[in-house]
Amino acid sequence: MAGSPPDPYACRLCDAALGDTWWETPMGERVCLRHTGPSCRSCAVPGADADGLCPRCARTAVVTQDGVKALLPRIRTGLHELGLRLTTPVRVRLVSTGEMVAMSGEPAGTVTGCTMSIDAEVVDLAIVAGLPAPQFGAVVAHECMHAWMVQRGFGIVAPPIAEGLSQFASDGWLGRQRDPRARLLREAIAQDPDPVYGDGFRQIKAAVRRHGFLPVLRTVRAEGRLP
Ligand SMILES: [Zn+2]
Ligand SMILES: [Zn+2]
Ligand SMILES: [Zn+2]
């Protein structure tokens, strides 16, 4: 995914010459017609494994605490650029799908991150193991926005505002990434039909366009509503 630009006439999966016909993924990557099977849920090339990832994305999936450590500085820098600084750094802990189901009470695969807090103290951020790097960063950015609100005493915020702000932080972080998979994740956030996450994000985006990010945060904190 880095280095010299790929040859547009070669298959991205096997390097064979493409000839006259090929598949083109939503990311604009071309692959030979002989590659079949389910699409990778991260980059959309055919040939995903049981976890829904192609071998290329599976290689960059965050599965160990060392993998977390390697990515966190970059995620933190991106959040600082958005004006989000946590008063106390929080721990990011990888959990299994089973642990996440137990914590969230939601079916497997639906919740990828969770902010654990007691009053104004964030205990830790739990992120499900096995997410490809850009998605991992997006989920950490989302949870950091929740943690930021907890640490600044926002109290209880209506779900579309709280989740909308967190999706806005994800989107802002993704917008600073060069990884082409970040674009697909941004499209998914923008087009999410969910009334809490999707509508919430679009409401926040419109409010930020009118007033700016920090004034929106100030009004939400003081009045529990959007300006
Ligand atoms: Zn090929
Ligand atoms: Zn992939
Ligand atoms: Zn959330």
Side-chain angles (χ1 to χ4, degrees):
M1 303 234 132
S4 53
D7 176 359
Y9 303 105
C11 169
R12 286 307 301 276
L13 292 178
C14 71
D15 260 343
L18 284 170
D20 299 332
T21 50
W22 55 77
W23 301 115
E24 187 158 323
T25 72
M27 248 167 53
E29 294 189 307
R30 295 170 174 186
V31 302
C32 339
L33 294 180
R34 68 177 182 83
H35 300 295
T36 52
S39 302
C40 171
R41 63 182 160 85
S42 182
C43 75
V45 300
D49 63 12
D51 289 329
L53 295 178
C54 72
R56 189 175 60 175
C57 290
R59 267 199 306 277
T60 64
V62 182
V63 289
T64 64
Q65 213 55 47
D66 279 348
V68 173
K69 239 189 250 163
L71 281 173
L72 276 187
R74 219 175 70 202
I75 297 173
R76 206 167 287 136
T77 307
L79 288 171
H80 289 172
E81 285 170 13
L82 297 174
L84 295 176
R85 264 172 207 279
L86 295 172
T87 50
T88 322
V90 293
R91 198 161 62 106
V92 175
R93 189 165 55 93
L94 284 185
V95 298
S96 69
T97 304
E99 284 174 277
M100 188 58 87
V101 168
M103 249 185 279
S104 65
E106 302 288 338
T110 53
V111 177
T112 45
C114 195
T115 300
M116 319 293 283
S117 58
I118 300 168
D119 299 326
E121 197 192 334
V122 177
V123 181
D124 65 6
L125 307 183
I127 312 288
V128 80
L131 298 176
Q135 194 188 357
F136 176 83
V139 174
V140 172
H142 177 107
E143 296 306 326
C144 279
M145 185 75 235
H146 283 304
W148 191 89
M149 288 190 273
V150 168
Q151 289 183 346
R152 279 169 178 72
F154 271 57
I156 295 178
V157 177
I161 295 181
E163 299 306 339
L165 282 170
S166 295
Q167 290 297 78
F168 187 81
S170 261
D171 181 68
W173 183 80
L174 287 166
R176 286 169 168 74
Q177 305 310 306
R178 287 221 293 268
D179 189 316
R181 292 171 297 178
R183 187 169 57 80
L184 294 188
L185 290 167
R186 292 189 82 193
E187 284 171 10
I189 289 173
Q191 290 157 16
D192 187 349
D194 188 274
V196 173
Y197 288 78
D199 291 349
F201 170 73
R202 289 180 285 275
Q203 282 164 22
I204 298 295
K205 211 174 161 181
V208 170
R209 204 177 293 132
R210 264 182 275 126
H211 306 279
F213 190 36
L214 294 179
V216 166
L217 290 172
R218 271 197 293 273
T219 306
V220 170
R221 185 180 177 197
E223 303 169 34
R225 61 167 187 89
L226 291 176

